[in-house]
mmCIF file of all heavy atoms in Angstrom:
data_model
loop_
_atom_site.group_PDB
_atom_site.id
_atom_site.type_symbol
_atom_site.label_atom_id
_atom_site.label_comp_id
_atom_site.label_asym_id
_atom_site.label_seq_id
_atom_site.Cartn_x
_atom_site.Cartn_y
_atom_site.Cartn_z
ATOM 1 N N LEU A 523 1.350 4.569 1.033
ATOM 2 C CA LEU A 523 0.753 5.451 2.027
ATOM 3 C C LEU A 523 0.679 6.899 1.571
ATOM 4 O O LEU A 523 -0.274 7.601 1.905
ATOM 5 C CB LEU A 523 1.532 5.363 3.339
ATOM 6 C CG LEU A 523 1.408 4.059 4.103
ATOM 7 C CD1 LEU A 523 2.311 4.075 5.318
ATOM 8 C CD2 LEU A 523 -0.026 3.818 4.512
ATOM 9 N N VAL A 563 -8.893 1.839 3.689
ATOM 10 C CA VAL A 563 -8.429 1.058 2.543
ATOM 11 C C VAL A 563 -9.544 0.937 1.517
ATOM 12 O O VAL A 563 -9.322 1.086 0.323
ATOM 13 C CB VAL A 563 -7.941 -0.343 2.994
ATOM 14 C CG1 VAL A 563 -7.528 -1.184 1.805
ATOM 15 C CG2 VAL A 563 -6.796 -0.198 3.983
ATOM 16 N N LEU A 583 5.295 8.004 6.135
ATOM 17 C CA LEU A 583 4.500 9.102 5.576
ATOM 18 C C LEU A 583 5.247 10.430 5.639
ATOM 19 O O LEU A 583 4.891 11.380 4.942
ATOM 20 C CB LEU A 583 3.182 9.239 6.339
ATOM 21 C CG LEU A 583 2.113 8.213 6.030
ATOM 22 C CD1 LEU A 583 1.042 8.206 7.116
ATOM 23 C CD2 LEU A 583 1.501 8.501 4.668
ATOM 24 N N GLU A 589 1.198 17.019 12.479
ATOM 25 C CA GLU A 589 0.711 17.029 11.095
ATOM 26 C C GLU A 589 -0.338 15.952 10.844
ATOM 27 O O GLU A 589 -1.346 16.210 10.192
ATOM 28 C CB GLU A 589 1.884 16.860 10.119
ATOM 29 C CG GLU A 589 2.776 18.082 10.046
ATOM 30 C CD GLU A 589 4.082 17.816 9.312
ATOM 31 O OE1 GLU A 589 4.582 16.661 9.342
ATOM 32 O OE2 GLU A 589 4.613 18.778 8.715
ATOM 33 N N SER A 607 -29.325 13.615 16.588
ATOM 34 C CA SER A 607 -30.716 13.142 16.590
ATOM 35 C C SER A 607 -31.340 13.482 17.925
ATOM 36 O O SER A 607 -30.729 13.284 18.981
ATOM 37 C CB SER A 607 -30.777 11.626 16.399
ATOM 38 O OG SER A 607 -30.166 11.248 15.199
ATOM 39 N N ASN A 618 -21.622 10.095 13.730
ATOM 40 C CA ASN A 618 -21.240 10.592 12.417
ATOM 41 C C ASN A 618 -22.162 9.991 11.364
ATOM 42 O O ASN A 618 -23.007 9.146 11.661
ATOM 43 C CB ASN A 618 -19.765 10.309 12.105
ATOM 44 C CG ASN A 618 -19.447 8.831 12.090
ATOM 45 O OD1 ASN A 618 -20.254 7.988 11.726
ATOM 46 N ND2 ASN A 618 -18.227 8.501 12.495
ATOM 47 N N ILE A 634 -20.530 20.380 20.150
ATOM 48 C CA ILE A 634 -21.200 20.390 21.444
ATOM 49 C C ILE A 634 -21.525 21.831 21.847
ATOM 50 O O ILE A 634 -22.569 22.089 22.437
ATOM 51 C CB ILE A 634 -20.359 19.655 22.503
ATOM 52 C CG1 ILE A 634 -20.314 18.165 22.138
ATOM 53 C CG2 ILE A 634 -20.925 19.858 23.908
ATOM 54 C CD1 ILE A 634 -19.496 17.306 23.057
ATOM 55 N N GLY A 701 -14.785 18.163 29.778
ATOM 56 C CA GLY A 701 -13.883 17.433 30.665
ATOM 57 C C GLY A 701 -14.652 16.336 31.379
ATOM 58 O O GLY A 701 -15.864 16.205 31.203
ATOM 59 N N ALA A 707 -21.018 19.072 39.278
ATOM 60 C CA ALA A 707 -21.115 19.075 37.818
ATOM 61 C C ALA A 707 -20.467 20.290 37.176
ATOM 62 O O ALA A 707 -20.023 20.232 36.046
ATOM 63 C CB ALA A 707 -22.578 18.985 37.391
#
Side-chain angles (χ1 to χ4, degrees):
L523 290 176
V563 177
L583 284 163
E589 289 168 330
S607 301
N618 61 33
I634 293 178

